[in-house]
Amino acid sequence: MPELPEVETYRRFLDEVILHQPISAVEVFDRHVLAVDEDALRRRLVGQIVVATRRLGKNCFLEFADGSALVLHFGMTGDVGAYRHDYDVPRFTRVAFHLADGLRVAFIDPRKFGRIRLTDSLEQYQKDKKLGPDALGISLEELSQVLRKKKTLIKPLLLDQSITAGLGNWIVDEVLYQAKIHPERRANTLTDAEFSSLYAAIQSVLKTAITQEATYRQFPANFLIHAREWDESATPGTDQHRFCPRHQKEEIAKKYVGGRATYYCQICQPEPSESI
DNA sequence: CGTTATGTTCCTAG
DNA sequence: ACTAGGAACATAAC
């Protein structure tokens, strides 16, 4: 789940439930997700008040008055939730932040790739983690300037959080499909027109996903995402979703690019020729 | 039982 | 210094 749109959705949720009231306790069910000493975390949080929520790429920040922040990264399967009683703890809750009014905010993560840490400031964290500009904040010029000097395949570059932060495996496939660019094109072979459509696709896919609160099933019919396998199991019996939305009879192709499962349309996104 | 998985990071080798 | 590929992490779901 947690690519940029999901994390933005989590942030908005947290903004509604956690602001302006003291954290009364920190309950750790599994310290594996802590990238900070448990007692240090407790000392830093208990009695404190979150004054703002922020997001950079796939990272969510709960900010305190002094500019320091709790940083949530959701790994591959992280989520947030809220509950009030022990008997309602969501399954796979790893850490719970108890608030003074009795609400408890859960950091949920079945696979435990997510991490909770502290930082002195967002700027510090961005520097430490080598995060580039947020994918919703970067400009076309900024993005194309970096990409056009790279000989690497475009897909792994878009996944690289130091170039622009927030794009994940599914969204990159969607963006490349919408922009009609093959995932194995070398970045330095893209034309100006292709950089423009790539940029436009990034912005529109992200905004669409955020508007739908990252509920993929509600995405427009012309989105590639409906062709992915998990959607198949979500809507059994229908085969149509395995085909390109623009070429009804063309099956969506799957291969591994940069070690990641990659879906694309062989007609919309022509294979790069060796000579380029 | 085998396969696959939304992310990050580290290691190796060219 | 850059790039490609692979493994590791931990676990659920199919």
Side-chain angles (χ1 to χ4, degrees):
Chain A
M1 290 154 150
E3 301 189 26
L4 189 154
E6 289 90 343
V7 178
E8 176 62 17
T9 303
Y10 300 166
R11 186 196 67 75
R12 292 177 183 186
F13 172 78
L14 291 168
D15 201 78
E16 285 184 14
V17 300
I18 213 171
L19 290 189
H20 310 312
Q21 56 172 316
I23 295 170
S24 56
V26 177
E27 189 176 7
V28 177
F29 296 93
D30 190 332
R31 60 184 59 188
H32 191 91
V33 300
L34 297 184
V36 58
D37 179 77
E38 181 176 339
D39 292 323
L41 180 70
R42 210 166 261 128
R43 279 196 300 274
R44 184 64 193 85
L45 294 192
V46 173
Q48 297 298 304
I49 295 175
V50 175
V51 299
T53 63
R54 299 187 193 284
R55 182 191 56 73
L56 173 61
K58 304 169 191 172
N59 303 276
C60 184
F61 303 88
L62 302 180
E63 200 173 34
F64 302 104
D66 66 356
S68 70
L70 182 71
V71 189
L72 305 179
H73 190 286
F74 298 96
M76 287 177 68
T77 55
D79 200 353
V80 289
Y83 65 102
R84 286 191 175 272
H85 307 286
D86 282 334
Y87 54 79
D88 276 335
V89 186
R91 197 179 175 204
F92 306 124
T93 296
R94 305 304 182 191
V95 176
F97 302 97
H98 295 207
L99 303 176
D101 79 347
L103 194 71
R104 302 173 188 182
V105 174
F107 180 85
I108 303 163
D109 187 10
R111 274 177 69 184
K112 301 196 277 194
F113 284 178
R115 289 295 178 268
I116 294 174
R117 35 171 70 83
L118 293 168
T119 186
D120 290 337
S121 71
L122 304 209
E123 295 70 30
Q124 189 59 49
Y125 183 78
Q126 181 167 17
K127 193 184 291 181
D128 291 346
K129 290 293 173 182
K130 298 184 172 49
L131 295 172
D134 189 81
L136 272 181
I138 197 169
S139 68
L140 168 61
E141 292 69 31
E142 210 172 349
L143 183 64
S144 47
Q145 193 191 322
V146 186
L147 293 182
R148 72 171 74 252
K149 358 177 246 217
K150 304 271 190 184
K151 295 177 205 156
T152 314
L153 310 185
I154 188 66
K155 170 158 180 176
L157 281 180
L158 292 175
L159 288 172
D160 184 342
Q161 303 295 297
S162 72
I163 291 175
T164 184
L167 305 181
N169 200 34
W170 294 357
I171 287 181
V172 167
D173 283 359
E174 188 65 55
V175 159
L176 291 171
Y177 171 76
Q178 296 297 335
K180 302 182 181 174
I181 296 169
H182 191 282
E184 294 178 296
R185 288 281 300 281
R186 306 262 163 197
N188 61 349
T189 69
L190 299 200
T191 64
D192 285 344
E194 285 174 324
F195 278 124
S196 293
S197 43
L198 176 63
Y199 180 79
I202 290 172
Q203 303 306 311
S204 75
V205 168
L206 290 176
K207 283 172 189 161
T208 301
I210 290 171
T211 302
Q212 306 296 337
E213 297 185 337
T215 304
Y216 297 117
R217 289 227 204 108
Q218 297 170 16
F219 287 6
N222 68 342
F223 270 42
L224 177 74
I225 194 151
H226 303 297
R228 300 198 80 118
E229 285 163 334
W230 54 264
D231 202 58
E232 204 170 325
S233 54
T235 51
T238 46
D239 257 5
Q240 290 168 319
H241 59 268
R242 293 196 290 111
F243 297 93
C244 170
R246 291 191 282 246
H247 302 93
Q248 304 290 314
K249 298 246 165 94
E250 182 68 13
E251 279 224 43
I252 290 298
K254 177 184 181 181
K255 74 188 311 191
Y256 283 83
V257 178
R260 312 300 301 276
T262 299
Y263 295 78
Y264 63 102
C265 170
Q266 291 169 290
I267 296 179
C268 299
Q269 300 159 270
E271 198 97 22
S273 61
E274 277 305 323
S275 55
I276 308 191

